Amino acid sequence: QVQLVESGGGSVTAGGSLRLSCAVSGYSGDYCIGWFRQAPGREREGVATLRTRSGSTAYTDSMNYIDSVKGRFTISQDSAKNTMYLQMDSLKPEDTAIYYCAAGRPRYLSSAGFFCTWTRSDYRYWGQGSQVTVSS
């Protein structure tokens, strides 16, 4: 049984930092980890993705970010702990949202190989969500 358990989050002032953690268990083979967020009244959006494999490290250069967080957020993995992280620096009030980690299988295209998407339906398993609040 696949489980994703999140921790971290909280409240900070603009310019501050927070780190979210997502402990993954029960997943075998290649998979994608996505961090999504949902602000009040808005659609859930993908923030960062990473492709990895159970019992090993993430694929090199497999990290992707939406433009609004590039240079400020970092997705990473501690393979020994089966834990994924989202380090969030230089936080802005517009980053305020509930953040979710999610896991799913990568897509494949002959022209691109395996890759992770921003499509919510491609992620079968979800964490419980963590509130991040950034005040100005």
Side-chain angles (χ1 to χ4, degrees):
Q1 183 180 358
V2 178
Q3 286 190 316
L4 281 69
V5 179
E6 295 184 41
S7 59
S11 298
V12 294
T13 55
S17 297
L18 286 171
R19 189 177 78 163
L20 302 177
S21 301
C22 176
V24 182
S25 61
Y27 222 116
S28 62
D30 278 19
Y31 61 98
C32 294
I33 285 291
W35 283 99
F36 292 75
R37 66 185 180 187
Q38 187 165 18
R42 301 191 65 178
E43 292 286 319
R44 191 174 299 186
E45 64 172 352
V47 174
T49 65
L50 171 154
R51 188 164 74 90
T52 187
R53 50 204 158 181
S54 58
S56 186
T57 57
Y59 286 94
T60 304
D61 297 329
S62 70
M63 297 74 169
N64 286 293
Y65 304 89
I66 58 171
D67 287 344
S68 61
V69 306
K70 282 181 180 177
R72 300 189 299 120
F73 288 13
T74 304
I75 186 172
S76 63
Q77 173 190 9
D78 183 335
S79 57
K81 298 179 179 179
N82 289 329
T83 300
M84 312 297 169
Y85 302 99
L86 185 68
Q87 177 68 40
M88 303 180 291
D89 299 319
S90 301
L91 282 161
K92 304 175 180 180
E94 52 264 43
D95 295 318
T96 295
I98 299 175
Y99 284 70
Y100 300 88
C101 64
R105 296 298 183 191
R107 291 284 189 112
Y108 178 81
L109 288 174
S110 57
S111 58
F114 289 98
F115 61 97
C116 300
T117 74
W118 299 111
T119 305
R120 287 162 50 187
S121 59
D122 284 345
Y123 295 83
R124 181 175 179 182
Y125 304 98
W126 291 78
Q128 77 275 21
S130 300
Q131 178 68 50
V132 171
T133 302
V134 185
S135 58
S136 57

